[in-house]
Amino acid sequence: AVVSTQSTGYKQIFEAVAKSLPDSNFRIKRKARREVTPTELFKFVWTFYCNVKAAFPNTINEIVSSSLLLCAVCDYCFHEVYLSEPSLLTEDGRNAFRQSENNSIIDRLCNEFAKMESTEAKRIRDYHLKPLIKQYFIKAVLKAGLENDTGIFESSVFDSNHKS
């Protein structure tokens, strides 16, 4: 039941921030670069969330912690999309990052989708998610396309990140 609730919540978050899941013919057009589709983005973020959640076994059956972790993961991933592939975000999603403090939309995600204050989600992000992501880069589970371990959606590394 927790997975079903999380999946539904994730889809709502995705549709509010990123381009909707189109038919299979839609692609973001770029010259001489691999094309990332909204469907690939959707699958990547959900899979990433499931992998992160598995790293924190105490959150598996706890809906509040799982919801806050989902908000933290979405904040991280959509920030990465904003840096590398902003065309994958809706205008509202891009504006949310432009108008946010520290390029973070975690307050918005928590308020609108988890219906909770973001303080705990920020704690989860800063003390659990960020160190785990750093370990993913050290172990080469994730590859960065830009400086400072950013750019996981850059065309040069996305295929590798999508497969891991």
Side-chain angles (χ1 to χ4, degrees):
V2 171
V3 171
S4 177
T5 302
Q6 294 301 303
S7 177
T8 302
Y10 168 59
K11 189 167 189 229
Q12 291 172 341
I13 290 171
F14 187 90
E15 290 171 347
V17 178
K19 297 250 172 127
S20 62
L21 298 173
D23 62 22
S24 59
N25 296 328
F26 179 81
R27 293 216 174 250
I28 304 298
K29 295 188 181 200
R30 294 180 258 161
K31 288 183 176 179
R33 289 180 60 191
R34 188 205 179 293
E35 299 171 346
V36 178
T37 67
T39 301
E40 289 172 320
L41 174 62
F42 183 86
K43 289 177 183 176
F44 177 87
V45 176
W46 180 252
T47 302
F48 187 69
Y49 164 71
C50 291
N51 286 327
V52 167
K53 187 176 174 185
F56 303 112
N58 293 341
T59 65
I60 289 177
N61 292 318
E62 206 175 298
I63 190 120
V64 171
S65 294
S66 293
S67 295
L68 295 173
L69 180 62
L70 177 62
C71 289
V73 167
C74 286
D75 179 60
Y76 169 76
C77 288
F78 291 131
H79 176 254
E80 287 290 311
V81 170
Y82 179 69
L83 294 175
S84 300
E85 296 291 339
S87 62
L88 286 170
L89 299 178
T90 62
E91 187 63 33
D92 187 43
R94 289 189 299 272
N95 286 336
F97 278 106
R98 283 185 207 117
Q99 298 167 0
S100 68
E101 250 182 64
N102 301 321
N103 283 324
S104 173
I105 58 170
I106 199 164
D107 292 324
R108 177 183 174 194
L109 296 176
C110 289
N111 292 333
E112 288 183 30
F113 301 101
K115 307 292 187 217
M116 294 180 235
E117 290 292 319
S118 61
T119 306
E120 184 65 16
K122 289 176 182 176
R123 188 187 67 72
I124 289 169
R125 178 193 64 195
D126 295 341
Y127 296 106
H128 299 285
L129 181 61
K130 284 183 178 181
L132 179 64
I133 290 170
K134 185 172 184 162
Q135 287 301 309
Y136 283 172
F137 283 117
I138 290 169
K139 294 177 181 176
V141 173
L142 282 177
K143 292 178 175 50
L146 301 172
E147 296 176 6
N148 303 321
D149 293 336
T150 60
I152 63 171
F153 293 102
E154 284 290 315
S155 60
S156 61
V157 295
F158 179 73
D159 280 334
S160 176
N161 289 335
H162 192 235
K163 291 175 186 172
S164 60

